[in-house]
Amino acid sequence: MRTRRGLCYSAPGVVTRMCPVGVGKRKSNKLQHNVSGDSNIYSLRKRHKRLPEKAADECDFFESLPDDLVISIFCKLSSSATSPSDFVNVLITCKRLNSLGLHSLVLSKASPRTFSIRAKNWCDSAHRFLKQCADAGNVEACYTLGMIRFYCLQNRGSGASLMAKAAMNSHARALYSLAVIQFNGSGGTKNDKDLRAGVALCARAAFLGHVDALRELGHCLQDGYGVRQNIAEGRRFLVQANARELAAVISAGAAARQWLTWNIHPLRQFAGSAAGCPLLSDFGCNVPMPEAHPASRFLSEWFAARDASAGPGLRLCSHAGCGRPETRKHEFRRCSVCGAVNYCSRACQALDWKFRHKAECTPVERWLQDDGDDVVDDDVGADAVMAVDS
C-alpha cells in the first residue's frame, strides 16, 4: 500500500501498528455478526428513539371529562361567540372536540355572529353548516339561511319554508320579512300580493317589539293600506317605534348617546304631530344607524359583488341596511320626487330618508312612470312620506 509520501508498507504490519490491540478484531467481529445474522448492517449507524413511557399515576385530565360537561361549555361558547372563528377554532382542535362541537344542542344555541358568513367566503361547507344549525332548531340559522336561499340562491320555496319555521318560533325578523314578501308579492306576480296577510304578520312582529314592523304597521293604519284606516292608531304605533328606537340607543351606553340631538325649533311635520318633538315625527331622533343583521349584510355583499344587480332590470332596496332585491321588475316603489331611489317597504324608506336621502333628494321634472311601477311620494318640505300605488 502506498502512503501520501510515496512510501510503501506491508498491510499486516501497518494495521497492527496503527490500531490498538483488539480494536480491529472487535470491529470485524461485529461486522461479521451483522452480515451473517438476519438484521441489517445499517442498524449499527441508526438508533431508534424510544418514547418516554407514561408513569402509572400520570393521566390526561381532559380525556376524563364527561361529554355532558364539555357540551355544556360549548353551548356557552357558541351562544357568546363574536365571530365564526371563535367557534371554528374549537372544531379543528381534535376529533373529540369536533364531534362534540357539532352536537345538535350546541348548534341550537349558536348566536347569529357564530354563522355570520361573508358573501365572498360562501361555499358548500358554509351552506352545510348553516343547514346543520337550522336542522338542530336554531331559529336564527333558519332565518339567515331562508333569506340567503330566497333572495340569493333564488330557491323561493325552501327559503320561505325556513323563514316560516323561524316565524312559528316567534322570530320577529322572520315575521317581518314574510310580511314584506306578502306586501310585494315577492317570488310571484303583482297579483300575488296579500296585503291583509302582510298586515297580520306585521302586527305579530310589532307585538314582539320589532321596530321596523311597528313603523310599517303605523303607516299601514294611517294610509288604510291592507287594513281599515285609523290615523290615531297609526300615529300611536309610529310614536311607539320612535320610543323603542330611542330606548335602544340609550341602553347602548354613552358612546351612542352622544349622537342624540333634540331640535327645539319648530318643525313643519306631519299633520297631528307636535312641533319640535322628534318622537312624534315619522323618523324619530337623530340616532346612529343600527347595525345590520348578518343576513342583511350577506345580501348586500352578495349583490354588491354582482354590480349591485339581482338580474336584468331588477333593483335593490336603497336602504343600506336592508339588502333585499326585486324578484320581478317594478316590484319596489320609488321616490316620486327624484325617482332615483326605491324601497321594499315603508319602514326602509323612512329610515333611509332620515339617514341619507333627505340630504340628497332634489325635485326634478316629473319623470315618466313605467307601466306597473309603484310610486313613493316624499313631501320634502314637510318631512312626510306617503306611499301611493299606481
Side-chain angles (χ1 to χ4, degrees), residues 132-373:
Q132 280 183 288
C133 294
D135 292 340
N138 191 311
V139 291
E140 285 288 349
C142 289
Y143 169 69
T144 302
L145 185 58
M147 291 284 285
I148 292 174
R149 286 186 176 180
F150 189 89
Y151 290 108
C152 299
L153 306 182
Q154 298 184 4
N155 190 345
R156 314 294 186 195
S158 176
S161 171
L162 285 168
M163 283 189 278
K165 181 179 177 180
M168 286 187 291
N169 287 277
S170 299
H171 190 270
R173 288 184 180 273
L175 286 163
Y176 178 66
S177 294
L178 290 174
V180 172
I181 291 174
Q182 294 295 332
F183 282 136
N184 296 323
S186 301
T189 64
K190 187 176 181 179
N191 296 329
D192 292 326
K193 292 182 179 182
D194 193 340
L195 303 184
R196 296 183 63 183
V199 171
L201 290 166
C202 251
R204 177 60 180 167
F207 174 77
L208 295 173
H210 195 267
V211 175
D212 289 344
L214 278 168
R215 191 170 278 118
E216 188 79 26
L217 186 60
H219 286 297
C220 288
L221 286 167
Q222 279 194 150
D223 304 335
Y225 189 70
V227 68
R228 181 179 297 177
Q229 187 175 23
N230 190 334
I231 297 178
E233 191 71 8
R235 294 301 311 165
R236 186 176 72 84
F237 277 113
L238 290 176
V239 171
Q240 189 176 355
N242 296 335
R244 284 183 178 272
E245 187 178 50
L246 180 61
V249 174
I250 293 176
S251 62
R257 285 197 295 270
Q258 65 181 356
W259 287 79
L260 297 178
T261 59
W262 190 273
N263 191 354
I264 60 175
H265 300 288
L267 297 175
R268 293 179 298 166
Q269 294 186 345
F270 209 62
S273 65
C277 182
L279 287 177
L280 301 181
S281 71
D282 285 352
F283 313 104
C285 302
N286 181 23
V287 297
M289 183 181 295
E291 183 181 1
H293 190 272
S296 300
R297 189 179 63 186
F298 184 94
L299 264 61
S300 300
E301 294 176 354
W302 179 276
F303 293 109
R306 289 155 179 78
D307 298 329
S309 174
L314 301 181
R315 305 166 296 186
L316 299 180
C317 180
S318 297
H319 177 41
C322 178
R324 291 183 179 86
E326 289 182 324
T327 60
R328 68 174 187 280
K329 290 184 177 181
H330 311 310
E331 179 181 339
F332 295 164
R333 290 171 289 183
R334 54 183 172 179
C335 175
S336 62
V337 178
C338 65
V341 293
N342 33 176
Y343 304 101
C344 65
S345 62
R346 294 293 301 274
C348 280
Q349 183 191 8
L351 289 173
D352 191 59
W353 175 261
K354 175 174 65 175
F355 294 128
R356 181 185 64 89
H357 189 54
K358 181 178 181 180
E360 300 176 356
C361 186
T362 55
V364 295
E365 295 182 2
R366 184 68 179 179
W367 36 269
L368 295 177
Q369 179 183 338
D370 298 331
D371 293 338
D373 199 3

Side-chain angles (χ1 to χ4, degrees), residues 74 77-78 81 83-91 101 106-107 114 129:
F74 282 171
L77 173 65
S78 64
S83 65
S85 61
D86 293 345
F87 187 67
V88 173
N89 287 337
V90 175
L91 300 181
V106 177
L107 297 180
T114 305
F129 178 70

